[in-house]
Amino acid sequence: MVWGTIIAAYLFLAGLSAGAFLTSSYAARKYPEAVTIRIVGRIISPVLMGIGLLLLIVDAEAGLKDPLRFIYLFTNFSSVMTIGTYFISFFMMAAAFIALMEILKKEINKIVEYVGIFFAVATAIYTGFLIGVIGAVPLWNTAILPILFVVSAFSTGIAGTMLTSAFIDKKVVHHVMSLKKIHVSLLIAEVFLIFTMFVITSSSNESAAQSVAMLLSGEYSVLFWTGLILVGLLVPIVIESLELYNSRQLHRRAGMEVAAAGSPGFTAIVITESAVLAGGFILRYLLLAAAVPVIFL
């Protein structure tokens, strides 16, 4: 494995943090009455990013022994890592400021929020480019990877925000149907992007074909098919699609209150959103674990 579990966790938490921020911003505009979702997304965002950065520092043992290595991250402008460091720094500052304003119950500065949205998207994209620019690993070196990571970031961000919100207010998560529609669309898009990436990369060279084979039928196939595809994607797609269908039917017959009453229970929400989060981590772990570099002779 080129990079380990800690890096997979960092990539996962960075994307989740960005997705939670974007989820809260969307909810604030589309559903101003869904206060819990807005506040939860804005508070967990900088917390998750902070945990991810701590993991990154712990993993960079040489950086702990040589602090100048971290300073170099801010000065080497030819490096994708330097650009990403600035993206994350600006996003972290905006997200932390907005979270503080929420805690203090003060009005959010719109300019700061727009800055946060911009750098949240940039951070989600960066998590894909961070490994995507490594040409020696064909599985990563594809334009689809940053798109996949952005889709997964927003998807896990929705899941993390909805899961946490459900523990605070079990009803509010049933009144954001357009957010659920977006979530299902993202999960379906994720399945499409994964297999499209596999088809394209596996035909590029032998190393890429080996990586894809390890995931589809080799060493990591059980985790891929069961953990990522079945549990992380298909189960949430089915459950949330059924919820949307039942909600639509109940709306037609009896209105909002009955529709909310007919929504799936708390346990179903916990299972669905937890499955999405597990799938998001497994996706990043597998992409790192199955990386087969090109051997130059």
Side-chain angles (χ1 to χ4, degrees):
M1 188 188 298
V2 179
W3 281 334
T5 305
I6 292 180
I7 297 300
Y10 161 68
L11 295 173
F12 168 69
L13 289 171
L16 173 56
S17 171
F21 188 89
L22 294 172
T23 300
S24 67
S25 295
Y26 176 83
R29 285 161 175 74
K30 182 70 175 180
Y31 301 101
E33 71 282 359
V35 177
T36 300
I37 293 177
R38 185 198 76 218
I39 295 176
V40 165
R42 286 175 171 172
I43 291 179
I44 67 173
S45 177
V47 173
L48 293 169
M49 180 59 77
I51 295 173
L53 291 175
L54 285 176
L55 290 176
L56 185 62
I57 292 172
V58 169
D59 186 71
E61 294 181 2
L64 293 175
K65 298 175 183 177
D66 181 12
L68 292 177
R69 183 174 177 180
F70 287 105
I71 296 175
Y72 186 63
L73 280 176
F74 288 91
T75 57
N76 182 22
F77 292 99
S78 62
S79 169
V80 171
M81 292 188 70
T82 295
I83 297 172
T85 299
Y86 278 100
F87 284 166
I88 291 174
S89 298
F90 287 126
F91 170 60
M92 186 68 175
M93 287 188 289
F97 175 80
I98 290 175
L100 178 62
M101 293 298 101
E102 285 287 4
I103 293 172
L104 298 176
K105 298 181 179 180
K106 293 186 177 181
E107 185 177 353
I108 305 298
N109 184 291
K110 295 299 181 184
I111 295 178
V112 176
E113 184 175 8
Y114 291 140
V115 169
I117 291 172
F118 176 83
F119 284 106
V121 175
T123 296
I125 295 173
Y126 161 68
T127 59
F129 273 117
L130 176 62
I131 62 176
V133 296
I134 301 177
V137 181
L139 181 65
W140 301 344
N141 192 227
T142 168
I144 296 179
L145 187 62
I147 300 173
L148 174 61
F149 271 34
V150 170
V151 170
S152 179
F154 198 5
S155 173
T156 55
I158 293 174
T161 304
M162 298 286 272
L163 178 61
T164 308
S165 299
F167 282 98
I168 300 172
D169 184 351
K170 296 178 182 179
K171 295 181 179 180
V172 68
V173 295
H174 300 306
H175 295 288
V176 287
M177 286 299 126
S178 70
L179 194 56
K180 287 183 174 292
K181 291 177 183 178
I182 292 173
H183 200 191
V184 172
S185 299
L186 290 170
L187 292 170
I188 294 172
E190 204 170 331
V191 175
F192 173 78
L193 288 169
I194 288 171
F195 287 103
T196 299
M197 185 177 77
F198 285 178
V199 170
I200 294 174
T201 56
S202 63
S203 61
S204 61
N205 56 56
E206 185 177 346
S207 295
Q210 289 177 18
S211 292
V212 174
M214 289 170 67
L215 293 170
L216 297 182
S217 59
E219 180 181 355
Y220 301 105
S221 60
V222 174
L223 184 58
F224 174 78
W225 289 109
T226 304
L228 175 56
I229 300 301
L230 179 60
V231 175
L233 293 170
L234 295 183
V235 168
I237 288 172
V238 170
I239 294 177
E240 295 214 329
S241 295
L242 287 174
E243 180 182 359
L244 288 171
Y245 175 78
N246 291 335
S247 177
R248 189 181 301 114
Q249 295 299 109
L250 290 169
H251 270 293
R252 290 175 180 174
R253 296 174 187 174
M256 179 70 76
E257 292 185 3
V258 177
S263 298
F266 176 74
T267 302
I269 295 171
V270 172
I271 292 173
T272 302
E273 308 305 350
S274 297
V276 173
L277 293 174
F281 173 76
I282 292 171
L283 169 66
R284 289 155 179 81
Y285 171 79
L286 288 175
L287 289 177
L288 294 180
V292 176
V294 174
I295 298 176
F296 298 98
L297 300 177

